[in-house]
């Protein structure tokens, strides 16, 4: 009997152990897959599809990338299908392609989804087409789901005399390298002078180097699990470059222009969102952008923008209920600019603005008051001051004058004819 009890206890202990292990594995899987899988089958002609995503709080996972968002990955095992894992806190997506020139409507997401995107005839206009999206939470592709590898972006701003920027990345202290050989991978140069590359979240130590001469390099840099901006500074005594790290992109202005802005009353903490069109490179990483500083002397808000910026939106700094913003404002030239935002929104609920750039013919050359309303008092030229009789008299005089001139011309011609005869 005692032996039987021991056997039963052993079996119970084994089952309990297996149960705990199973729960642990499930918990680890849940922690690892903190993302939503987006699959899309796009129409023929939709090249290089991307995903733009955001949530109701106004956070966009790819704001730092700019429109059209993050590129999807082609699934070689499923022809025509592309996929992308997005952060689990995102709630809305737009699938787009051809550098953002074609796109779906907004699609709400909360779990893994398969989207079949097609082009159909517009039911309201047979000569037009519309984008149709069929959604399914049931897997429409074959085989296992793609592996989820959490990633982050490293940005680097390097000295002007570097040829380019490369990165060496590894897991410390495990010593697992991201790239097979030194000096690593070349980073992508962006239009604003920053370099960028995507690496696994697990990589927590990097070196930025000049790929043209890898002996030119920074110190070892410990980086966080999130996107990071590395500003490369001066060379130290050991011949390596020191750095500073930022969680948002520091604004580096080398030859900028000043924008002076007047906003409606009630916009107590206005902000500006700025980017480069048409490539979509954002100056700031998170909407609604940079807080504007008030200049007492100018009695307006002032910001200095880099010369590559040609589009801005001015907003009241509020996200969600109570938010207000201008339409997209085009800055044609990178010169000092004055912007006055209208006091009332247009029919679409957005504010327009008057833009005057240095060198323009500024409105207001005729100063207010030069021809103020009321200088000519009502009644100075009242209708009826010219009496109808006076007008008739003037007409008679004019007719008489015309007749006299005509008779003179006839008489002169006659005398000339007589003399010739």
């Amino acid at each position: 009997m005692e032996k039987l009890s021991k056997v039963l206890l052993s079996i119970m202990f084994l089952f309990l152990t297996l149960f705990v292990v199973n729960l642990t594995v499930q918990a680890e899987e849940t922690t690892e897959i903190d993302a939503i899988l987006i699959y899309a089958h796009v129409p023929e002609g939709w090249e290089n599809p991307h995903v733009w995503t955001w949530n109701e709080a106004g956070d966009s996972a790819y704001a730092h990338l700019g429109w059209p968002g993050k590129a999807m990955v082609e699934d070689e095992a499923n022809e025509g299908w592309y996929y992308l894992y997005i952060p689990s806190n995102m709630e809305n997506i737009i699938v787009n392609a051809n550098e953002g020139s074609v796109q779906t409507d907004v699609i709400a997401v909360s779990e893994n989804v398969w989207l079949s995107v097609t082009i159909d005839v517009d039911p309201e206009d047979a000569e037009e087409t519309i984008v149709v999206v069929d959604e399914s939470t049931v897997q429409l592709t074959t085989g296992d789901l793609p592996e989820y590898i959490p990633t982050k972006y490293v940005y680097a701003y390097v000295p002007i005399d570097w040829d380019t920027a490369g990165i060496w990345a590894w897991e410390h202290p495990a010593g697992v390298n991201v790239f097979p050989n030194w000096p690593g991978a070349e980073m992508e140069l962006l239009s604003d002078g920053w370099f960028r590359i995507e690496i696994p979240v697990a990589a927590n130590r990097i070196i930025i180097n000049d790929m043209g001469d890898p002996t030119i390099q920074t110190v070892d840099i410990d980086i966080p699990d999130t996107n990071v901006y590395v500003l490369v500074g001066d060379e130290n005594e050991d011949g390596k470059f020191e750095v500073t790290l930022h969680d948002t992109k520091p604004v580096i202005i080398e030859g900028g222009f000043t924008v002076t802005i007047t906003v409606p009353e009630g916009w107590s903490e206005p902000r500006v969102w700025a980017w480069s069109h048409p490539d979509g490179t954002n100056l700031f990483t998170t909407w609604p952008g940079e807080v504007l500083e008030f200049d007492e002397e100018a009695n307006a808000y002032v910001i200095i923008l880099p010369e590559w910026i040609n589009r801005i939106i001015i907003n009241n700094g509020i996200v969600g209920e109570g938010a207000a913003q201008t339409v997209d404002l085009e800055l044609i030239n990178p010169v000092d600019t004055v912007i006055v935002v209208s006091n009332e929104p247009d029919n679409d609920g957005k504010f327009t603005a008057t833009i005057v750039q240095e060198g323009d013919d500024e409105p207001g050359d005729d100063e207010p008051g030069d021809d103020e309303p009321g200088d000519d008092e009502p009644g100075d030229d009242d209708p009826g001051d010219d009496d109808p009789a006076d007008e008739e008299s003037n007409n008679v005089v004019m007719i008489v004058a015309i007749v006299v001139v005509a008779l003179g011309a006839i008489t002169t011609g006659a005398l000339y004819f007589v003399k010739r005869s």
Side-chain angles (χ1 to χ4, degrees):
M1 188 68 180
E2 187 176 345
K3 273 188 173 184
L4 182 59
S5 298
K6 288 182 178 179
V7 170
L8 290 173
L9 285 172
S10 298
I11 292 172
M12 289 176 62
F13 180 78
L14 178 61
F15 274 108
L16 183 61
T17 303
L18 290 173
F19 179 75
V20 171
V21 168
N22 184 52
L23 287 179
T24 304
V25 169
Q26 287 182 355
E28 287 178 355
E29 288 178 352
T30 303
T31 302
E32 288 176 0
I33 310 298
D34 188 21
I36 300 171
L37 176 60
I38 307 297
Y39 252 105
H41 190 284
V42 298
E44 185 178 350
W46 279 40
E47 304 294 336
N48 195 21
H50 282 59
V51 169
W52 182 255
T53 183
W54 70 100
N55 59 26
E56 296 304 321
D59 301 320
S60 173
Y62 309 133
H64 63 101
L65 299 177
W67 175 265
K70 188 172 181 178
M72 304 186 77
V73 180
E74 185 175 7
D75 187 344
E76 296 180 357
N78 293 275
E79 186 178 356
W81 286 95
Y82 295 80
Y83 69 88
L84 183 69
Y85 282 99
I86 66 171
S88 59
N89 66 333
M90 295 292 102
E91 299 169 338
N92 304 291
I93 66 167
I94 292 174
V95 177
N96 66 85
N98 301 351
E99 298 182 350
S101 62
V102 290
Q103 66 177 68
T104 66
D105 288 333
V106 177
I107 303 166
V109 294
S110 58
E111 58 183 320
N112 295 352
V113 65
W114 280 257
L115 307 172
S116 299
V117 184
T118 55
I119 304 297
D120 206 348
V121 176
D122 188 340
E124 297 181 0
D125 186 348
E127 296 183 359
E128 298 293 330
T129 59
I130 58 173
V131 177
V132 178
V133 180
D134 291 326
E135 304 176 33
S136 174
T137 55
V138 176
Q139 182 175 346
L140 300 180
T141 51
T142 58
D144 295 335
L145 298 182
E147 182 184 5
Y148 172 59
I149 302 176
T151 62
K152 61 189 174 186
Y153 285 86
V154 175
Y155 290 80
Y157 199 91
V158 302
I160 192 66
D161 55 352
W162 286 27
D163 293 328
T164 184
I167 185 171
W168 181 250
W170 70 99
E171 295 178 34
H172 176 78
V176 179
N177 296 326
V178 173
F179 310 107
N181 301 304
W182 171 266
E186 186 169 359
M187 303 177 74
E188 176 190 3
L189 176 61
L190 306 177
S191 61
D192 59 358
W194 284 84
F195 289 85
R196 179 180 68 199
I197 196 168
E198 185 179 13
I199 65 172
V201 165
N204 57 359
R205 187 166 287 188
I206 62 171
I207 293 172
I208 305 295
N209 63 76
D210 182 348
M211 291 288 283
D213 181 2
T215 61
I216 300 174
Q217 64 178 71
T218 66
V219 295
D220 293 1
I221 309 165
D222 291 318
I223 59 172
D225 293 341
T226 54
N227 298 339
V228 64
Y229 295 83
V230 181
L231 192 57
V232 180
D234 297 328
E235 194 173 358
N236 62 23
E237 294 178 354
D238 298 327
K240 295 183 179 181
F241 287 79
E242 299 290 342
V243 302
T244 55
L245 302 185
H246 304 266
D247 56 358
T248 58
K249 183 190 294 184
V251 178
I252 298 172
I253 298 176
E254 296 174 351
F257 61 101
T258 301
V259 180
T260 305
I261 302 167
T262 301
V263 301
E265 288 186 26
W267 290 25
S268 58
E269 196 173 284
R271 294 176 179 246
V272 65
W273 183 253
W275 72 99
S276 165
H277 177 81
D279 61 86
T281 303
N282 294 323
L283 180 59
F284 311 111
T285 55
T286 307
W287 175 266
E290 184 78 358
V291 176
L292 291 168
E293 294 186 7
F294 190 78
D295 186 312
E296 296 286 349
E297 185 176 346
N299 194 33
Y301 292 91
V302 174
I303 189 171
I304 299 175
L305 297 175
E307 293 181 347
W308 53 270
I309 291 294
N310 58 12
R311 295 288 191 282
I312 65 171
I313 292 173
I314 302 163
N315 62 83
N316 64 353
I318 298 173
V319 176
E321 187 177 353
Q325 67 172 74
T326 65
V327 296
D328 295 1
L329 304 176
E330 180 181 6
L331 306 180
I332 298 174
N333 298 306
V335 296
D336 290 351
T337 302
V338 175
I339 298 176
V340 179
V341 179
S342 61
N343 287 319
E344 297 294 335
D346 61 16
N347 292 334
D348 295 325
K350 295 184 178 180
F351 289 74
T352 57
T354 302
I355 302 174
V356 178
Q357 295 202 286
E358 190 176 52
D360 291 350
D361 292 330
E362 297 191 18
D365 287 344
D366 296 323
E367 291 296 327
D370 288 354
D371 294 303
E372 289 189 9
D375 283 351
D376 296 322
E377 292 296 326
D380 287 356
D381 294 305
D382 281 347
D385 282 357
D386 294 324
D387 192 80
D390 293 341
E391 187 174 344
E392 289 178 9
S393 175
N394 290 339
N395 291 339
V396 170
V397 171
M398 185 177 293
I399 292 170
V400 170
I402 292 172
V403 171
V404 170
V405 171
L407 288 173
I410 293 169
T411 304
T412 302
L415 289 173
Y416 176 77
F417 179 76
V418 169
K419 287 182 180 180
R420 292 288 294 176
S421 299

